[in-house]
Amino acid sequence: MNTLAYKGVIWSKGHKTLLRPVEKADLPHVRTWINDPETRRFMLNRGPISELYEERWLERISDPGPDMTLAVCLLDGTLIGTMGLHNVDLRHRHATTGSMIGPHEHRGSGFGYDAKMQLLNFAFNELGLNKVMSRVISFNKRSAAYSAKCGYKEEARLRQQIFSAGVWYDELILSVFRDDWLPLWEKYLKEGE
């Protein structure tokens, strides 16, 4: 991909993706993805998301601080999702991540892994966190697999926690510790050489 074509803001750049602030122009795309039934089944928020809700969401996430939601883009600047670092606890040194790759054709291509490694680099090497958690519905095998590639391990299983399409599913609490993640980060950096 031609990375020189993208002239916008870059907060972090990986091998396949870049992270940048979420902008107002992104909201129609994000709203479309979140309201898509196939995407929504993997989300904890199930209600319809309106334009007004999205505008208020953008206002909330726009405040600078350790909690953040970022746009996930291809290297040419094409928006493909969002990823966040939430509930950052600087005293106890932990946080929770969440992510969404919107377009179906971009799922399962390593973009989530690439973006998550960048976000974990910020969490561990900039904020000095010790542990980052993620919550996954048990049927979301793709999310569990890319989380495992980033070093996450199952820490807890909340049995029959999520009700979806008439069926109860477990919710997995995954976590990765900085010391376990650092060798994966070194490997990731070498992949780009």
Side-chain angles (χ1 to χ4, degrees):
M1 285 185 198
N2 182 0
T3 59
L4 299 177
Y6 179 68
K7 303 284 189 217
V9 173
I10 297 175
W11 182 78
S12 179
K13 183 176 167 190
H15 306 317
K16 292 181 157 191
T17 61
L18 61 90
L19 301 175
R20 63 164 174 77
V22 177
E23 303 293 348
K24 191 170 186 172
D26 300 330
L27 295 184
H29 301 287
V30 174
R31 188 172 58 256
T32 298
W33 298 331
I34 289 177
N35 284 308
D36 174 58
E38 180 58 28
T39 302
R40 190 176 63 245
R41 69 186 286 256
F42 297 107
M43 310 291 287
L44 297 177
N45 185 347
R46 301 286 184 165
I49 304 300
S50 67
E51 183 176 356
L52 181 59
Y53 178 92
E54 283 289 288
E55 288 172 0
R56 289 179 179 159
W57 171 76
L58 181 61
E59 286 177 21
R60 283 193 311 274
I61 68 166
S62 295
D63 290 334
D67 284 41
M68 64 179 65
T69 300
L70 297 158
V72 177
C73 301
L74 301 178
L75 294 176
D76 66 2
T78 303
L79 177 70
I80 62 167
T82 60
M83 183 168 287
L85 188 65
H86 311 293
N87 305 313
V88 176
D89 185 328
L90 294 174
R91 179 173 182 236
H92 300 292
R93 301 288 179 195
H94 60 78
T96 302
T97 57
S99 62
M100 172 186 63
I101 300 296
H104 299 254
E105 65 271 17
H106 290 104
R107 296 177 187 167
S109 301
F111 298 122
Y113 161 74
D114 190 74
K116 183 66 68 89
M117 290 301 281
Q118 294 172 66
L119 189 63
L120 291 173
N121 178 48
F122 175 75
F124 291 133
N125 292 329
E126 297 294 326
L127 292 180
L129 300 184
N130 180 54
K131 175 181 175 180
V132 177
M133 296 169 283
S134 185
R135 301 171 83 96
V136 177
I137 302 170
S138 59
F139 64 75
N140 192 347
K141 305 295 185 203
R142 189 174 9 237
S143 182
Y146 102 85
S147 294
K149 189 174 178 183
C150 293
Y152 288 81
K153 293 182 175 47
E154 185 176 323
E155 187 165 316
R157 179 178 290 261
L158 306 177
R159 295 176 53 230
Q160 297 184 18
Q161 183 77 1
I162 305 295
F163 188 71
S164 178
V167 179
W168 286 102
Y169 294 96
D170 295 350
E171 183 178 11
L172 309 178
I173 309 299
L174 308 175
S175 65
V176 59
F177 290 89
R178 182 179 189 274
D179 288 346
D180 296 330
W181 174 83
L182 281 173
L184 299 174
W185 177 244
E186 293 301 322
K187 180 181 173 187
Y188 170 82
L189 291 174
K190 288 179 183 171
E191 291 169 3
E193 294 176 353

